[in-house]
Amino acid sequence: MSKRMRRLSTLIPVVLVAALGGSAAIAGTTADSLLSRGKPVLASSIEDNTLTADKAVDGNTTTRWASMEGHDPEWIRVDLGQPADIHRVKLNWEAAYAKSYRIEVSDDGTTFSTVKSLTSQNGGTDDNTGLTGHGRYVRVVGTARGTAYGYSLFELEVYGVGDSSGDTQAPTVPTGLQSTGTSATSVSLSWTASTDNVGVTGYDVLRNGTAVATATSASYTDTGLTADTSYTYSVRARDLAGNVSGASTPITVKTGTGGTGGFVIAAAGDIAEQCTASTSTCIHPKTAKVVDFINPANVVTMGDSQYDDAHLSDYTNYYAKTWGKFKAITKPVPGNHDTYDEPQYNGYDKYFGSAIAKPQGKRYYSWEKGNWHFIALDSSDYMTHDTLATPRDDQLAWLRADLAKNTKGCVAAYFHHPRWSSGDHGDNPDSEQFWRTLAGAKVDVVLTGHDHHYERFVPMNADGDADPNGTVELLAGTGGAHPYDLKPAHPTTAKLLSAYGVLKLTMNDNSWTSQLIGLNNTVEDSSPTYNCRAKG
């Protein structure tokens, strides 16, 4: 059945719904309100770029979201912007409806609990009332399709009572502000979390009396500072309703000396899906704006810069229009999607050109900036489980030789497939030789992608065990591709987030820090300040 026929087949039911009262009627309790209209929304897939997830919350019963055809399960998730008591979820299905589905809620967008499961449904309008869920995120998961197509919703409406309704009480003033580390160009801060009658959403960090950032946890690393300079800091808390606490007792911190070779890198993997800024759910135009905000010296991409088969036309039509702005300062590596072109890597090689894609004649290479040595690797050579390529000894031999001749005091490496991951793909044994070689050579930080989430690990040894003198892995498949589900965190995981954003790496002469900068330029996570380790 064509899309046009499917739309026509639902014309009469839609008209009847409108005639019978397809408005935002309130049910359950009179205090309930429509919470989902126009809110951020994600979906597990879309049929095409005209049937995006935002169409399900736009209040228009002639537009719709549709998942890819012929696949179970599929889901759509709406972020209400604040926790709420969920009493009612109304679903207006197109002809491609869910025969079985469940309604779930979550506080963090990662761990969901089921509030209602339904089977033997027949489409049309499902008005699920009398629900008792509580959370910020509501997800509808289709588990069995009613047709041979996918899942398609004209409207998803969530009703309830937001936690911040009528809230005028500010959070408590943060206490215990202290410096937990300094470098020549950075200051790391921590403080005791505030409390609130509803919930604290973040903290404004004030430097010399001016707010310079918003942190989502009780720690922050301020970067880009001047060496041997004193700065005064305080913090204040915000809640869901926008109430702001008073500022904490200020402290004064002095940066270290030196730091003349400091610079900032922006990094992410898994970036450009086949969409443009004209679609509100298209993420890579938004992460490109985050790169602009970071204003880096160089951009590092950890593979899969372009989806799906990474043809040159895809790079030109999508990646080039957003992250392509930074092409001249980009130091990329390929991912598995770059091997799906015919011939392999064709789009990657032609878009970036030999000077960027193969600066030393291979797709693996090294480069230097300040007191840092950077190693870019092509991990697809080693992905035997994906039958992408036969493992070759030449790259590993080159890596060992490159590490042996390095004279810089700090070293970073990056490639696509992570050795360690709490994401959908999980730990990757095919990256074992890379990780052991890099950890054994005391490389300071390894950047990866492939799994579509953010994960920061504590320093680890070659076996993946916590070791204060080990190597830090940062996984940031956060550049724009749709997120994957998360698995339980590793014992060595310091932070695990299902989020979009860009890594900001502040590289000093003898130390480094990292931050995940979210789509609103907020700091979603900050690492401690790590000192570079003696090589050899």
Side-chain angles (χ1 to χ4, degrees):
M1 183 185 296
S2 70
K3 293 175 188 174
R4 179 168 181 171
M5 290 177 67
R6 287 159 62 190
R7 291 192 184 98
L8 288 173
S9 71
T10 57
L11 178 59
I12 294 176
V14 171
V15 172
L16 287 174
V17 168
L20 293 173
S23 63
I26 296 174
T29 117
T30 55
D32 284 354
S33 59
L34 178 58
L35 304 174
S36 53
R37 181 69 51 79
K39 294 297 174 63
V41 61
L42 291 175
S44 53
S45 68
I46 58 173
E47 184 179 334
D48 62 46
N49 287 337
T50 67
L51 302 172
T52 51
D54 60 303
K55 302 295 195 301
V57 294
D58 62 1
N60 186 341
T61 55
T62 65
T63 62
R64 62 189 176 98
W65 161 70
S67 72
M68 63 185 293
E69 296 184 353
H71 182 262
D72 294 310
E74 296 286 348
W75 53 263
I76 183 169
R77 187 199 81 180
V78 60
D79 177 359
L80 304 178
Q82 62 168 306
D85 289 321
I86 309 302
H87 299 140
R88 177 189 180 198
V89 174
K90 183 179 179 182
L91 305 172
N92 185 355
W93 295 101
E94 194 250 357
Y97 68 94
K99 182 178 180 181
S100 298
Y101 65 92
R102 62 181 183 266
I103 299 170
E104 302 176 333
V105 297
S106 171
D107 292 319
D108 59 7
T110 300
T111 303
F112 284 84
S113 59
T114 300
V115 296
K116 189 171 184 177
S117 294
L118 299 100
T119 59
S120 302
Q121 300 300 295
N122 59 4
T125 298
D126 292 344
D127 200 350
N128 299 286
T129 59
L131 306 180
T132 57
H134 182 272
R136 171 172 172 170
Y137 301 86
V138 175
R139 185 167 70 177
V140 177
V141 182
T143 55
R145 289 166 288 116
T147 71
Y149 299 99
Y151 297 90
S152 184
L153 281 168
F154 287 114
E155 283 296 301
L156 160 61
E157 296 179 345
V158 179
Y159 296 86
V161 180
D163 285 359
S164 65
S165 298
D167 180 19
T168 59
Q169 179 177 323
T172 60
V173 176
T175 59
L177 178 63
Q178 61 177 329
S179 171
T180 56
T182 62
S183 72
T185 58
S186 68
V187 171
S188 295
L189 304 167
S190 70
W191 56 90
T192 302
S194 298
T195 59
D196 186 67
N197 62 319
V198 173
V200 175
T201 57
Y203 299 88
D204 296 335
V205 179
L206 290 80
R207 182 206 308 143
N208 296 337
T210 300
V212 293
T214 299
T216 56
S217 62
S219 64
Y220 174 73
T221 298
D222 194 20
T223 61
L225 306 177
T226 303
D228 198 26
T229 302
S230 293
Y231 295 91
T232 299
Y233 291 95
S234 60
V235 292
R236 61 194 182 203
R238 292 182 174 273
D239 69 9
L240 288 163
N243 301 306
V244 183
S245 75
S248 67
T249 301
I251 62 171
T252 299
V253 185
K254 190 174 184 178
T255 53
T257 58
T260 56
F263 56 93
V264 171
I265 297 291
D270 307 274
I271 298 168
E273 291 193 326
Q274 294 177 331
C275 59
T276 64
S278 61
T279 302
S280 63
T281 53
C282 190
I283 302 300
H284 64 96
K286 301 175 184 179
T287 53
K289 291 180 180 179
V290 176
V291 177
D292 257 331
F293 171 77
I294 293 172
N295 190 27
N298 285 101
V299 172
V300 164
T301 60
M302 289 88 79
D304 283 2
S305 297
Q306 179 60 59
Y307 285 81
D308 283 323
D309 295 334
H311 300 305
L312 177 60
S313 59
D314 296 327
Y315 268 103
T316 302
N317 290 332
Y318 306 107
Y319 180 92
K321 295 178 179 178
T322 56
W323 283 62
K325 174 181 179 180
F326 316 106
K327 182 176 178 179
I329 59 171
T330 296
K331 307 288 188 180
V333 293
N336 52 290
H337 279 265
D338 291 300
T339 70
Y340 300 162
D341 197 2
E342 292 290 344
Q344 290 187 344
Y345 302 103
N346 182 63
Y348 176 86
D349 289 347
K350 288 184 176 178
Y351 173 73
F352 285 112
S354 296
I356 295 176
K358 299 179 179 180
Q360 294 165 8
K362 302 284 186 180
R363 294 185 192 91
Y364 50 88
Y365 57 95
S366 60
W367 55 285
E368 294 178 340
K369 198 172 193 69
N371 194 33
W372 280 83
H373 183 72
F374 292 88
I375 302 171
L377 299 172
D378 179 7
S379 58
S380 292
D381 271 348
Y382 288 80
M383 297 303 110
T384 56
H385 69 283
D386 279 344
T387 64
L388 300 181
T390 301
R392 302 200 321 255
D393 291 334
D394 58 339
Q395 184 174 182
L396 195 60
W398 172 88
L399 172 60
R400 290 168 177 154
D402 185 80
L403 287 164
K405 68 183 181 182
N406 168 53
T407 60
K408 298 295 184 180
C410 305
V411 181
Y414 56 102
F415 48 91
H416 185 57
H417 301 82
R419 175 64 185 94
W420 313 106
S421 172
S422 302
D424 183 70
H425 292 297
D427 294 344
N428 198 322
D430 288 336
S431 296
E432 172 81 10
Q433 294 184 79
F434 279 172
W435 177 261
R436 284 196 172 276
T437 302
L438 297 168
K442 298 182 180 179
V443 166
D444 296 289
V445 58
V446 171
L447 311 176
T448 62
H450 194 45
D451 265 330
H452 300 178
H453 72 277
Y454 170 79
E455 191 164 8
R456 175 170 57 86
F457 291 85
V458 302
M460 295 179 289
N461 62 21
D463 294 321
D465 298 324
D467 181 347
N469 297 312
T471 298
V472 175
E473 183 188 300
L474 292 170
L475 196 167
T478 55
H482 66 278
Y484 293 158
D485 289 338
L486 299 177
K487 297 177 181 177
H490 281 60
T492 51
T493 298
K495 189 74 171 183
L496 179 64
L497 294 172
S498 177
Y500 296 114
V502 179
L503 274 178
K504 177 184 178 182
L505 296 142
T506 301
M507 324 300 263
N508 300 309
D509 283 344
N510 299 295
S511 64
W512 66 277
T513 60
S514 70
Q515 296 174 320
L516 179 67
I517 308 298
L519 297 185
N520 295 319
N521 298 332
T522 56
V523 178
E524 302 298 328
D525 181 49
S526 291
S527 78
T529 297
Y530 289 106
N531 292 322
C532 297
R533 300 178 295 155
K535 306 302 179 288

